[in-house]
């Protein structure tokens, strides 16, 4: 595993206190002082009680089913998985229960969760699910259990993936109990940049720009223009400055707004928020003034694969998730040196010292809604995942980021962004998502102004929200399917006797 020295001293004290300039005028906004702080996480979670020192409990041979794809724990894969498997096995003996991984094919897992939960015999107790499958359908229809109601888990424990916790919240209740035992990396969109080609073309070092507090929206597109090249003078662009397939949302979230907000009643969408309007106006501006810097669809049609084009040097900056590093870049797949920095904060972002990383998805571990003995099973889950202190989890998280990183700076920025990862939940609302994405397309092409477009879609958005609040979300499962599942489950139980 690569080890990087922390050359940024925590991303530089100046950056954290004054942050990057978040206005095109160059005036940086300073971080506000916190008036009250919770006890430090490191102090609260500074020890792990060994299994032999835990109180004795007898769960009567209860079977705890952990279901989903990739449910095998390889103790040779990492220190985390080795410790996790050891604790599971020791607790099985001490507390008299059976931990049973249940492998479910990726393509069928969502349907299996829904049918078996509604049939009253869920395929698993704790299961893996994507945010866009989960939200809002699972909590709104009782497919997921509100584990915060059980008062078992301390959600501040750093073993829990906090982005998944926030994503899972619905009507004030928490549903996700995803530990870092499978994976701690959660950072989504940031800017990957080709350090080798930047140097060859005489382009500025993006780390220097960021550290000086000059990393703004305007600077991003200024650099993208300079990076866009016709190398053989044939009138066609050979190298593009930027690849960004979720640019509108990146601008919105990094301007301190959110496309969809949670409320006591569910959700709300207000695209007339001044921060969103400002982001969309900038989105239209760059699509007009800097259209040539964007990687365009390939000749054969279909979507652009910005990851491949960044890896191969056809685009020199790309706004993409951190996982791109391990799926497309590291291990010699990208020949050039590469780096990673936050997407620039917008002019109305009040906290530029804490960059936002927004993604279209997050993964969660949830309890299915009709699991038997939910409190007992949550107690087991809570204890078998107690494998490290706050400092351990910080170290393990850093080590995971080091696997995909190409330099020390990327790790430091990833650790900084790790604290503020957000999921754009609009992808789970089919009709709303379609309305919003059509609006963005019309804004990008100039088919409408921002204001006219917002006025046109406002009644559509309100109607879609009303329909959701009045009628909920259709799970796509019929009563006949549920009854069939009940019969199949009953037959399996009888055959197993």
């Amino acid at each position: 595993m690569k080890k990087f020295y922390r050359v940024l001293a925590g991303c530089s004290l100046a950056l954290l206190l004054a942050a990057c300039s978040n206005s095109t005028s160059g005036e940086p906004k300073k971080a506000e002082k916190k008036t009250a702080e919770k006890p430090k996480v490191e102090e609260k979670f500074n020890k792990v009680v060994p299994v032999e020192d835990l109180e004795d409990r007898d769960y009567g041979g209860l079977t705890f089913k952990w279901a989903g794809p990739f449910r095998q724990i390889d103790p040779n894969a990492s220190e985390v998985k080795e410790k996790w498997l050891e604790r599971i096995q020791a607790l099985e003996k001490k507390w008299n229960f059976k931990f049973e991984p249940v492998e479910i094919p990726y393509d069928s897992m969502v349907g299996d969760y829904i049918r078996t939960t509604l049939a009253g015999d869920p395929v698993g107790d704790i299961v893996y699910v994507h945010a866009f499958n989960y939200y809002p359908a699972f909590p709104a229809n009782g497919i997921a259990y509100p584990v915060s109601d059980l008062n078992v888990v301390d959600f501040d424990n750093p073993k829990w993936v906090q982005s998944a916790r926030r994503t899972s919240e619905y009507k004030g209740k928490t549903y996700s109990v995803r530990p870092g035992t499978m994976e701690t990396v959660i950072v989504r969109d940031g800017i990957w940049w080709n350090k080798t080609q930047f140097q060859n073309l005489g382009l500025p070092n993006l780390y220097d720009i960021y550290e000086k507090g000059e990393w703004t929206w305007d600077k991003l597109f200024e650099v993208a223009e300079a990076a866009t090249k016709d190398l053989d003078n044939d009138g066609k662009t050979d190298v593009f400055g930027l690849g960004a397939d979720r640019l509108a949302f990146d601008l919105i979230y990094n301007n301190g707004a959110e496309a969809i907000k949670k409320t006591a009643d569910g959700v709300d969408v207000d695209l007339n928020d001044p921060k969103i309007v400002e982001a969309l106006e900038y989105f239209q501006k760059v699509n007009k003034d800097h259209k040539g810097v964007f990687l365009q669809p390939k000749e054969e049609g279909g979507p652009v694969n910005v990851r491949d084009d960044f890896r191969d040097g056809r685009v020199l900056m790309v706004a993409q998730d951190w996982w791109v590093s391990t799926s497309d870049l590291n291990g010699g797949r990208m020949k050039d040196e590469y780096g990673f920095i936050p997407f620039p904060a917008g002019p109305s972002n009040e906290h530029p010292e804490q960059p936002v990383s927004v993604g279209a998805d997050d993964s969660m571990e949830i309890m299915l809604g009709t699991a038997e003995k939910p409190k007992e099973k949550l107690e087991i889950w809570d204890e078998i995942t107690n494998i490290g202190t706050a400092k351990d989890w910080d170290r393990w998280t850093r080590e995971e980021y080091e696997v995909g990183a190409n330099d020390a700076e990327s790790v430091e920025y990833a650790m900084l962004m790790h604290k503020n990862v957000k999921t754009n939940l609009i992808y789970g609302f089919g009709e709303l998502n379609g309305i919003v994405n059509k609006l963005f397309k019309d804004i990008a092409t100039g088919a409408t102004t921002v204001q006219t477009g917002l006025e046109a879609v406002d009644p559509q958005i309100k109607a879609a929200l009303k329909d959701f609040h009045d009628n909920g979300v259709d799970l796509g499962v019929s009563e006949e399917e549920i009854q069939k599942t009940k019969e199949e489950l009953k037959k399996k139980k009888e055959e197993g006797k």
Side-chain angles (χ1 to χ4, degrees), residues 1 17 32 65 117 122 199 213 268 273 285 316 418 483:
M1 179 181 291
L17 295 181
E32 296 178 3
K65 294 183 291 184
T117 298
Q199 184 173 11
D268 190 25
D273 179 330
K285 176 179 180 291
L316 299 193
H418 187 88
Q483 184 59 39

Side-chain angles (χ1 to χ4, degrees), residues 241-369:
L242 180 65
D245 50 11
R246 298 188 293 263
L247 180 60
F249 287 124
D250 282 325
L251 293 169
I252 287 170
Y253 279 80
N254 282 280
N255 205 32
E258 294 189 35
I260 189 166
K261 293 183 179 179
K262 296 179 180 180
T263 67
D265 297 325
V267 296
D268 190 25
V269 176
D270 180 15
L271 297 186
N272 292 297
D273 179 330
K275 293 181 179 180
I276 293 180
V277 173
E278 182 177 41
L280 292 178
E281 287 176 343
Y282 196 86
F283 177 65
Q284 186 165 60
K285 176 179 180 291
V286 296
N287 273 280
K288 177 184 176 183
D289 298 344
H290 301 286
K291 186 176 182 180
V293 310
F294 291 108
L295 185 64
Q296 299 300 308
K298 297 177 180 178
E299 293 179 4
E300 64 270 21
V304 175
N305 188 335
V306 290
R307 304 193 304 273
D308 287 354
D309 285 294
F310 175 72
R311 179 198 63 207
D312 298 338
R314 188 165 180 250
V315 59
L316 299 193
M317 294 186 292
V318 63
Q320 274 289 316
D321 298 13
W322 178 271
W323 57 259
V324 167
S325 62
T326 52
S327 69
D328 297 82
L329 308 180
N330 72 348
R333 285 171 289 187
M334 183 167 177
K335 304 305 180 185
D336 292 337
E337 296 291 311
Y338 57 89
F340 183 79
I341 60 172
F343 193 94
S348 295
N349 188 330
E350 297 172 359
H351 298 285
E353 77 284 356
Q354 179 53 72
V356 177
S357 179
V358 61
D361 189 23
D362 201 347
S363 57
M364 292 171 282
E365 300 281 343
I366 62 168
M367 178 173 282
L368 290 178

